[in-house]
Amino acid sequence: MSYLVLARKWRPQHFNEVIGQQPVVRTLQNALKRSRVSHAMLFSGVRGVGKTTLARIMAKALNCQSEKEDRPCNKCDSCLEITNGSALDLHEIDGASNRGIQEIRELKENIRFFPTKSRYKIIIIDEVHMLTTEAFNALLKTLEEPPKHVFFMFATTELHKIPITILSRCQRYELKRIAFAELHDFFKKVAEKEGVAVSAKALSIITREADGSVRDGLSLLDQMFSFGGDQVKDEDVVDVLGLVDHTVFEKLAASLLSGDLARGLELLDRTYRAGIDIKRFANDLLNFFRTVLICKTSPHPEELLDISDMELQEAKKIAAGQSAETLYQYFHLLLQGIGQMQYSPRPRMILEMALIKAAQAGQIVPASVLLERFDDCFRQSLSLPLSQVAPADPVVVETNQPEDIKEKDVSGSREVSAVKEKMSEKKTVSPKPAETEITQPGPSVAKSLAPATHQKDVRKNWDDFVAYVKERKSWMSHVLQLCDRVEEHDDDLIMIFSQPTEYKILDQSENMKLLTRYVQDFFQKELKPRLRVRGGEDACGNSDNSVSEERRALARDPLVRMATEVFGGRVASVRTGPKFR
Ligand SMILES: [Zn+2]
């Protein structure tokens, strides 16, 4: 007794047995009911999704002798002949081996005659994209005016290779990859009916491997059934098919992301020893990181991913503890490694190096989070008692500058004017950001920084303003400190910098909005901050800097300064990428 492979045994014989192609099935059945079936049909889709199967069912339905509406009946002579492959009026042609013009000429000769037994002659050409241009041209004429007794059905995996002239004469049906859940249920049913107990994990691995194709999945099941008899266990799938259970990827990713590189390499070693193809493994691992990234970034990852619920839950769990940046870093380094693996005699080593590199790069914290952390640090240091705060260097101001000594509208503080009288030549202003009392007359005078209830002078209170900002948005105060000069004109508060790069970050609308609020709250005036560059026209105008000046400015960038301060480093060199401005 010959063994019938599962793919043939389970080939659908009726529309309602076709899985995963409901829209196409419905359209075909409606066309049959209304007798509006096109004389040229084209089924496209990846391998093993049911293109020729649907064409055959359609052929049966067209020639079915049953009076019932639900055709094919699978009982009449015509149906049975097609099922067992002896129908004289059904011609199945393999486009790959009959691709020349001669074969098409013979076919055209053949269809001139009426069908021998059935209502229609039906021509199915599989892999039709393999036909030569001449063959397509020869076919074209027939497709323009097909004889009433002939139906053409084409199947292809490569729709784009079909000439547009042919496409435009066909009714097209695009078949989809079959969804994981649907395929999984189908394979489960097949296993049950075949009397084989397949473990849940094994079934999941086979379904994943089938990648949307019924035929691929069924041939994997075939292999497993002939190996395992009436039972298929998890390890059988790994041993026979060389496939890896998804939990290996989960464990590997989790150990790498938690910084346990040793465990990660150990897992890789175990996989390698099990005889798994390392290039394939790397690709599957890459795919796993894609899954985790999608879980991280999409609110509905299940719509984008074709995986089991169990896998989805695990991926979500891993995604929850990581930043998208970190996950992308792993994805990127792995992708790079895979590229190098293609040409290397030692793919395992390259994969190991990629994983080490990724693990060493560590966790990436998004810049916005970093800025917030800096702010928190500064805020905390400000809330410490004054004695613990390192005093800032006093700023010495020459008294012969008229704007600075005419304190008529400072803060109305009597202490200040009292001290001023006692002061001889110089006056010292400390930009300390907290309210202090003057305990002894001397060269050091601190002003009150509490927001005043009335208007303040921009130039005189600038340092206080910077301190005020520092309490609220520390990074912004660093930028303000770079400002060379401030001027007040009408309703504008003009801030003059020496380089446009110094205020670049302030120039973003969100930051500008915040700055405006601080300015108006502090100075109690309807002022609008304006950013200018010294000697330049406007904030948006690019001043004509030489490259070296620009580099110097980059080194002075407040973000860079802050970073060097926080990490205790220094700027060693400045490298610029392609111009982005
Ligand atoms: Zn029938």
Side-chain angles (χ1 to χ4, degrees), residues 413-467:
S413 152
R414 257 177 246 134
E415 288 94 335
V416 171
S417 41
V419 171
K420 208 178 82 189
E421 282 167 17
K422 287 184 186 174
M423 275 167 57
S424 49
E425 288 294 306
K426 290 189 170 189
K427 186 175 81 74
T428 313
V429 181
S430 162
K432 242 179 249 171
E435 208 163 355
T436 50
E437 275 187 342
I438 296 155
T439 47
Q440 53 176 43
S444 175
V445 176
K447 287 185 206 165
S448 160
L449 285 182
T453 48
H454 62 270
Q455 295 194 337
K456 287 181 182 170
D457 183 85
V458 167
R459 296 183 71 170
K460 261 175 279 170
N461 294 83
W462 182 250
D463 287 345
D464 298 349
F465 173 64
V466 173

Side-chain angles (χ1 to χ4, degrees), residues 60 63-66 71-80:
K60 258 191 213 178
N63 274 341
C64 182
Q65 292 152 353
S66 163
R71 282 171 293 167
C73 72
N74 279 316
K75 285 181 189 128
C76 69
D77 287 348
S78 171
C79 283
L80 291 174

Side-chain angles (χ1 to χ4, degrees), residues 397-403 405 425:
V397 184
E398 293 294 330
T399 44
N400 53 10
Q401 285 176 353
E403 292 94 341
I405 38 166
E425 288 294 306

Side-chain angles (χ1 to χ4, degrees), residues 319-373:
Q322 306 295 331
S323 70
E325 284 82 357
T326 303
L327 294 171
Y328 178 73
Q329 163 108 327
Y330 272 82
F331 183 88
H332 178 70
L333 289 171
L334 207 50
L335 187 66
Q336 250 180 7
I338 287 170
Q340 292 164 356
M341 277 165 97
Q342 302 306 322
Y343 308 103
S344 167
R346 292 186 181 79
R348 178 191 171 172
M349 243 187 237
I350 293 177
L351 180 58
E352 280 171 348
M353 288 310 123
L355 297 183
I356 291 172
K357 220 195 267 182
Q360 280 184 342
Q363 308 278 314
I364 300 179
V365 182
S368 55
V369 175
L370 212 54
L371 279 176
E372 284 306 315
R373 280 191 203 166

